[in-house]
Coordinates of all heavy atoms in Angstrom, one line a residue:
Chain C
R54 N 114.6 130.2 110.0 CA 115.1 129.6 108.8 C 114.1 129.3 107.7 O 114.4 129.5 106.5 CB 115.9 128.3 109.1 CG 117.2 128.5 109.9 CD 118.3 128.8 108.9 NE 118.6 127.6 108.2 CZ 119.5 126.7 108.5 NH1 120.2 126.9 109.6 NH2 119.7 125.7 107.8
C98 N 117.4 117.9 115.1 CA 118.8 117.7 114.8 C 119.0 117.5 113.3 O 118.1 117.1 112.6 CB 119.3 116.4 115.4 SG 119.0 116.1 117.1
R99 N 120.2 117.7 112.9 CA 120.6 117.3 111.5 C 120.3 115.8 111.4 O 120.6 115.1 112.3 CB 122.0 117.6 111.2 CG 122.4 117.2 109.8 CD 123.9 117.6 109.5 NE 124.1 117.2 108.1 CZ 123.7 117.9 107.0 NH1 123.1 119.0 107.1 NH2 124.0 117.4 105.8
H100 N 119.7 115.4 110.3 CA 119.4 114.0 110.1 C 120.6 113.4 109.3 O 121.2 114.0 108.4 CB 118.2 113.8 109.2 CG 117.6 112.5 109.3 ND1 118.2 111.4 108.6 CD2 116.5 112.0 109.9 CE1 117.5 110.3 108.9 NE2 116.5 110.6 109.7
P101 N 121.1 112.2 109.8 CA 122.3 111.6 109.2 C 122.1 111.3 107.7 O 123.0 111.1 106.9 CB 122.5 110.3 110.0 CG 121.2 110.1 110.7 CD 120.5 111.4 110.9
S102 N 120.8 111.2 107.3 CA 120.6 110.9 105.8 C 120.5 112.2 105.0 O 120.4 112.1 103.8 CB 119.2 110.2 105.7 OG 119.3 108.9 106.3
S103 N 120.6 113.3 105.6 CA 120.5 114.6 104.9 C 121.7 114.8 104.0 O 122.8 114.6 104.5 CB 120.2 115.8 105.8 OG 120.2 117.0 105.0
I104 N 121.5 115.2 102.8 CA 122.7 115.6 101.9 C 122.8 117.1 101.8 O 123.6 117.5 101.0 CB 122.5 114.9 100.6 CG1 121.3 115.4 99.8 CG2 122.4 113.4 100.7 CD1 121.3 115.1 98.3
R105 N 122.0 117.8 102.4 CA 121.8 119.3 102.2 C 122.6 120.0 103.3 O 122.2 119.9 104.5 CB 120.4 119.6 102.2 CG 120.1 121.0 101.7 CD 118.5 121.2 101.6 NE 118.3 122.6 101.6 CZ 117.4 123.2 100.8 NH1 116.8 122.5 99.9 NH2 117.3 124.5 100.8
D106 N 123.6 120.8 102.9 CA 124.4 121.4 103.9 C 123.6 122.3 104.9 O 123.9 122.4 106.1 CB 125.5 122.2 103.2 CG 126.6 121.3 102.7 OD1 126.6 120.1 103.0 OD2 127.4 121.8 101.9
D107 N 122.7 123.0 104.3 CA 122.0 124.0 105.2 C 120.8 123.4 105.9 O 120.0 124.1 106.4 CB 121.5 125.2 104.4 CG 120.5 124.9 103.4 OD1 120.2 123.7 103.1 OD2 119.9 125.8 102.8
D108 N 120.8 122.1 106.1 CA 119.8 121.5 107.0 C 120.4 121.2 108.4 O 119.8 120.5 109.1 CB 119.3 120.1 106.4 CG 118.1 120.3 105.5 OD1 117.7 121.5 105.3 OD2 117.5 119.4 105.0
S109 N 121.5 121.9 108.6 CA 122.0 121.7 110.0 C 122.4 123.1 110.5 O 122.3 124.1 109.7 CB 123.2 120.8 110.0 OG 124.2 121.3 109.2
Chain D
A26 N 119.6 100.7 105.7 CA 120.6 101.1 104.7 C 119.9 101.3 103.4 O 120.2 102.3 102.7 CB 121.6 100.0 104.5
E28 N 116.8 102.3 103.1 CA 116.1 103.6 103.3 C 117.0 104.8 103.0 O 116.6 105.7 102.4 CB 115.5 103.6 104.7 CG 114.8 104.9 105.1 CD 113.3 104.9 104.8 OE1 112.8 103.8 104.4 OE2 112.7 105.9 104.9
K29 N 118.2 104.7 103.6 CA 119.1 105.8 103.4 C 119.4 106.1 101.9 O 119.4 107.2 101.5 CB 120.4 105.5 104.2 CG 121.3 106.7 104.3 CD 122.4 106.5 105.4 CE 123.1 107.8 105.7 NZ 124.0 107.6 106.8
A30 N 119.7 105.0 101.2 CA 120.0 105.1 99.8 C 118.8 105.7 99.0 O 118.9 106.6 98.2 CB 120.4 103.8 99.2
Y31 N 117.6 105.2 99.4 CA 116.4 105.7 98.8 C 116.2 107.2 99.0 O 115.8 108.0 98.1 CB 115.2 104.9 99.4 CG 113.8 105.2 98.8 CD1 113.4 104.6 97.6 CD2 112.9 106.0 99.5 CE1 112.1 104.8 97.1 CE2 111.6 106.2 99.0 CZ 111.2 105.6 97.8 OH 110.0 105.8 97.3
S32 N 116.4 107.6 100.3 CA 116.3 109.0 100.6 C 117.3 109.9 99.9 O 117.0 110.9 99.4 CB 116.5 109.2 102.2 OG 116.5 110.5 102.5
H33 N 118.6 109.4 99.8 CA 119.6 110.1 99.1 C 119.2 110.4 97.7 O 119.3 111.5 97.1 CB 120.9 109.4 99.1 CG 121.7 109.6 100.4 ND1 123.0 109.2 100.6 CD2 121.3 110.2 101.6 CE1 123.4 109.5 101.8 NE2 122.4 110.1 102.4
S34 N 118.7 109.4 97.0 CA 118.3 109.5 95.6 C 117.2 110.5 95.4 O 117.3 111.4 94.5 CB 117.9 108.1 95.1 OG 117.1 108.2 94.0
L35 N 116.3 110.6 96.3 CA 115.2 111.5 96.2 C 115.6 112.9 96.6 O 115.1 113.9 96.1 CB 114.0 111.1 97.1 CG 113.2 109.9 96.5 CD1 112.4 109.2 97.5 CD2 112.3 110.3 95.3
Q36 N 116.6 113.0 97.5 CA 117.1 114.3 97.8 C 117.9 114.9 96.7 O 117.8 116.1 96.3 CB 118.0 114.3 99.1 CG 117.2 114.0 100.4 CD 118.1 114.0 101.6 OE1 118.7 115.0 102.0 NE2 118.3 112.8 102.2
Q37 N 118.6 114.0 96.0 CA 119.4 114.5 94.8 C 118.5 114.9 93.7 O 118.8 115.9 93.0 CB 120.4 113.4 94.4 CG 121.7 113.4 95.2 CD 122.3 112.1 95.4 OE1 121.8 111.1 94.9 NE2 123.5 112.0 96.0
S38 N 117.4 114.3 93.5 CA 116.5 114.7 92.4 C 115.7 115.9 92.8 O 115.0 116.5 92.0 CB 115.5 113.5 92.2 OG 114.5 113.4 93.2
G39 N 115.8 116.3 94.1 CA 115.1 117.5 94.6 C 113.7 117.3 95.1 O 113.1 118.3 95.5
E40 N 113.2 116.1 95.1 CA 111.8 115.9 95.5 C 111.7 115.8 97.1 O 110.7 116.2 97.6 CB 111.3 114.6 94.9 CG 111.0 114.8 93.4 CD 110.4 113.5 92.8 OE1 111.0 112.4 92.9 OE2 109.3 113.7 92.1
W41 N 112.8 115.3 97.7 CA 112.8 115.3 99.2 C 113.7 116.5 99.6 O 114.9 116.4 99.7 CB 113.4 113.9 99.6 CG 113.2 113.6 101.1 CD1 113.1 114.4 102.1 CD2 113.1 112.2 101.6 NE1 112.9 113.7 103.3 CE2 112.9 112.4 103.0 CE3 113.1 111.0 101.1 CZ2 112.7 111.3 103.8 CZ3 112.9 109.9 101.9 CH2 112.7 110.0 103.3
R42 N 113.0 117.6 99.8 CA 113.7 118.8 100.0 C 114.4 119.0 101.3 O 115.5 119.5 101.4 CB 112.7 120.0 99.9 CG 112.2 120.2 98.5 CD 113.2 121.1 97.7 NE 113.2 122.4 98.2 CZ 112.4 123.4 97.7 NH1 111.6 123.2 96.7 NH2 112.4 124.6 98.3
H43 N 113.8 118.5 102.4 CA 114.5 118.7 103.7 C 114.1 117.4 104.5 O 113.1 116.8 104.4 CB 113.9 119.9 104.5 CG 114.2 121.2 103.9 ND1 115.4 121.8 103.9 CD2 113.4 122.0 103.2 CE1 115.3 123.0 103.3 NE2 114.1 123.1 102.8
I44 N 115.1 117.1 105.4 CA 114.8 116.0 106.4 C 115.5 116.4 107.7 O 116.7 116.7 107.7 CB 115.2 114.6 106.0 CG1 114.9 113.6 107.1 CG2 116.6 114.5 105.5 CD1 115.0 112.1 106.6
W45 N 114.8 116.5 108.8 CA 115.4 116.7 110.1 C 114.9 115.6 111.1 O 113.8 115.2 111.1 CB 114.9 118.1 110.7 CG 115.3 119.3 109.9 CD1 116.6 119.8 110.0 CD2 114.6 120.1 109.0 NE1 116.6 120.9 109.1 CE2 115.4 121.1 108.5 CE3 113.3 120.0 108.6 CZ2 115.0 122.0 107.6 CZ3 112.8 121.0 107.7 CH2 113.7 122.0 107.2
R46 N 115.8 115.3 112.0 CA 115.5 114.3 113.0 C 114.8 115.0 114.2 O 115.2 116.2 114.5 CB 116.9 113.9 113.5 CG 116.9 112.5 114.0 CD 118.3 112.2 114.4 NE 118.7 110.8 113.9 CZ 119.8 110.3 114.0 NH1 120.8 111.0 114.6 NH2 120.0 109.1 113.6
T54 N 111.0 115.0 110.6 CA 110.1 115.9 109.9 C 110.7 116.1 108.5 O 111.9 116.5 108.4 CB 110.0 117.2 110.6 OG1 109.3 116.9 111.9 CG2 109.1 118.2 109.9
S55 N 110.0 115.9 107.5 CA 110.5 116.1 106.1 C 109.6 117.0 105.3 O 108.4 117.1 105.5 CB 110.6 114.7 105.4 OG 111.6 114.0 105.9
I56 N 110.3 117.7 104.3 CA 109.5 118.5 103.4 C 109.8 117.9 102.0 O 110.9 117.7 101.6 CB 110.1 120.0 103.4 CG1 110.0 120.5 104.8 CG2 109.3 120.8 102.4 CD1 108.7 120.7 105.4
R93 N 112.7 133.7 101.6 CA 113.6 132.8 101.1 C 113.1 132.2 99.8 O 112.1 131.5 99.8 CB 113.8 131.7 102.2 CG 114.9 130.8 102.0 CD 115.1 129.9 103.2 NE 115.9 128.8 102.8 CZ 116.9 128.2 103.4 NH1 117.3 128.7 104.6 NH2 117.6 127.2 103.0
D95 N 114.0 129.6 98.1 CA 113.8 128.1 97.9 C 112.8 127.6 98.9 O 112.7 126.4 99.1 CB 115.1 127.4 98.0 CG 115.7 127.5 99.3 OD1 115.3 128.3 100.2 OD2 116.7 126.8 99.6

Side-chain angles (χ1 to χ4, degrees):
Chain C
R54 288 277 291 269
C98 308
R99 180 175 180 81
H100 196 285
S102 294
S103 178
I104 63 168
R105 192 172 160 136
D106 286 347
D107 66 351
D108 271 1
S109 59
Chain D
E28 177 88 11
K29 191 166 190 171
Y31 184 80
S32 173
H33 277 190
S34 160
L35 288 161
Q36 288 181 69
Q37 274 148 358
S38 75
E40 289 181 307
W41 196 327
R42 287 276 291 268
H43 299 280
I44 178 169
W45 294 283
R46 212 175 224 179
T54 295
S55 287
I56 307 293
R93 190 171 161 137
D95 65 351

